[in-house]
Amino acid sequence: MDKVFIISQKDEQQADAIKAGVTLAKALEKHPEVFAYSYESFSGKEHYNPRLAAVAKLALMQQRRTAINQHLEQLKLDDVPVHDVWSKDLFEHACHHSIRHGFDLMVKALHHPDHYLPMDWYLIRHVKIPLLLLSNNPIARANTILMAVDLGSNKPLKKQLNQCVISQAKMLAKATNCTLHLAYIIRVPKILRDMDLVDTRTLIKDAYQRYQQELAEIGLPQDQLHILAGEPDLCLYELSCRLKSNYVVIGAMQRRGMLGYVIGNTAEAMLSRIRSNVLVIPADDQLLTQ
């Protein structure tokens, strides 16, 4: 363990996954490794001639290796291992290889400057280790970490996931010297708020009293605890912007099957708005046995 799986793709936007991943790995006292992903769908002669296709494949991978080596030299990080990977389905290789070879953190830059692409969602839904997604539109002068937990759930897996989120967020805050904040969002649909059918102030006040012991065990000052009522994605987005959060740490239940692809989950709704770097902690049955 104690290894960081850094995904390097072609045509990355503003975020530098290699630089950010290696810097964070060293701060966490982990060993970074870069995985240089390449793939092209050949046409013309290469499509019909396997020998030409193999030559073209090697040439493309060599170009990627050369570019990454030059980048590492500029960063004075020549000792970081680089692995060449030719794969059409990046998420399948990354998810399988990372868990099989003992990595405990994955770092990837968003491939699009404005929104998540299907590849990002596939990773979120299938990865078995914490996944850090680097924002291409980060908040300026960010110096806090915001962790989102679900205090209202009685499900064992959700409780275990809360503890994993808290543990990972505390380690990240210590390594990056950022101030840690906690958020708990009480889901209240907008229509109920607009019709004044729910007294959100009373809900929030009662929640602080109900979860007083749980909040005390986390050990954060009162001004770093935030209970809000509303739509979780909007509340977390607004709070992360107000606090100038460099990172948002969130748990993901990882829905499976057709239901997960159609309606997604709360974590994915939040991710579609957030401008911070996002550390996704996956829920898995294995968590209950740890």
Side-chain angles (χ1 to χ4, degrees):
M1 303 298 282
D2 292 332
K3 297 194 296 182
V4 178
F5 190 107
I6 302 172
I7 295 175
S8 176
Q9 296 174 269
K10 291 195 308 179
D11 305 323
E12 288 179 338
Q13 299 293 331
Q14 299 174 18
D16 185 342
I18 294 177
K19 181 178 180 181
V22 173
T23 300
L24 182 59
K26 292 188 175 182
L28 292 168
E29 298 183 349
K30 298 179 183 293
H31 303 288
E33 296 186 26
V34 176
F35 290 80
Y37 284 91
S38 303
Y39 184 80
E40 291 290 344
S41 181
F42 295 122
S43 59
K45 296 180 180 179
E46 290 83 0
H47 178 74
Y48 297 101
N49 189 322
R51 183 176 297 178
L52 291 177
V55 172
K57 172 183 172 180
L58 290 175
L60 289 171
M61 294 178 72
Q62 184 59 47
Q63 289 177 6
R64 289 278 293 125
R65 168 60 74 103
T66 300
I68 289 176
N69 285 340
Q70 291 176 348
H71 185 40
L72 289 171
E73 288 179 5
Q74 293 173 354
L75 297 173
K76 298 182 180 179
L77 299 171
D78 304 20
D79 58 336
V80 176
V82 179
H83 308 279
D84 300 311
V85 182
W86 184 269
S87 177
K88 181 179 181 180
D89 297 315
L90 180 154
F91 85 95
E92 287 188 356
H93 176 273
C95 291
H96 176 73
H97 191 90
S98 59
I99 193 68
R100 183 179 181 183
H101 293 276
F103 289 85
D104 52 13
L105 176 63
M106 184 180 295
V107 178
K108 180 184 179 297
L110 295 183
H111 205 58
H112 192 281
D114 299 320
H115 58 262
Y116 287 56
L117 293 181
M119 182 60 62
D120 303 312
W121 296 123
Y122 282 131
L123 280 172
I124 292 167
R125 289 172 178 150
H126 296 281
V127 71
K128 298 297 183 183
I129 63 175
L131 167 66
L132 177 60
L133 294 164
L134 302 172
S135 173
N136 280 312
N137 185 27
I139 299 172
R141 298 185 298 278
N143 61 354
T144 67
I145 293 174
L146 179 62
M147 58 178 174
V149 297
D150 185 2
L151 298 176
S153 178
N154 291 319
K155 296 180 180 179
L157 185 58
K158 274 285 188 71
K159 290 185 175 182
Q160 182 70 45
L161 183 57
N162 282 340
Q163 293 304 313
C164 290
V165 168
I166 293 168
S167 175
Q168 292 287 336
K170 286 184 174 181
M171 285 193 296
L172 186 61
K174 181 179 179 180
T176 58
N177 197 29
C178 290
T179 303
L180 181 60
H181 290 253
L182 176 144
Y184 168 49
I185 314 299
I186 305 170
R187 184 189 294 275
V188 179
K190 185 175 184 297
I191 188 172
L192 297 182
R193 302 196 309 274
D194 291 345
M195 296 175 66
D196 291 328
L197 297 178
V198 175
D199 185 347
T200 56
R201 292 186 178 180
T202 299
L203 282 178
I204 293 172
K205 182 178 179 181
D206 290 345
Y208 273 113
Q209 294 178 348
R210 185 180 308 118
Y211 304 116
Q212 183 176 11
Q213 181 176 349
E214 290 90 333
L215 294 173
E217 290 174 355
I218 294 171
L220 294 179
Q222 186 66 33
D223 61 349
Q224 292 168 221
L225 303 173
H226 310 274
I227 298 181
L228 305 174
E231 295 291 350
D233 56 332
L234 184 58
C235 288
L236 194 62
Y237 166 72
E238 292 177 344
L239 182 59
S240 64
C241 290
R242 177 161 59 86
L243 295 175
K244 295 186 180 297
S245 299
N246 191 18
Y247 299 91
V248 171
V249 185
I250 187 170
M253 290 302 294
Q254 297 183 314
R255 293 181 185 273
R256 294 290 188 265
M258 186 58 69
L259 183 65
Y261 290 95
V262 173
I263 67 174
N265 60 24
T266 303
E268 294 187 8
M270 293 179 181
L271 288 169
S272 64
R273 291 181 182 271
I274 292 173
R275 289 177 53 197
S276 309
N277 301 316
V278 178
L279 180 60
V280 180
I281 311 301
D284 189 80
D285 291 341
Q286 295 179 9
L287 291 175
L288 293 176
T289 62
Q290 293 181 358

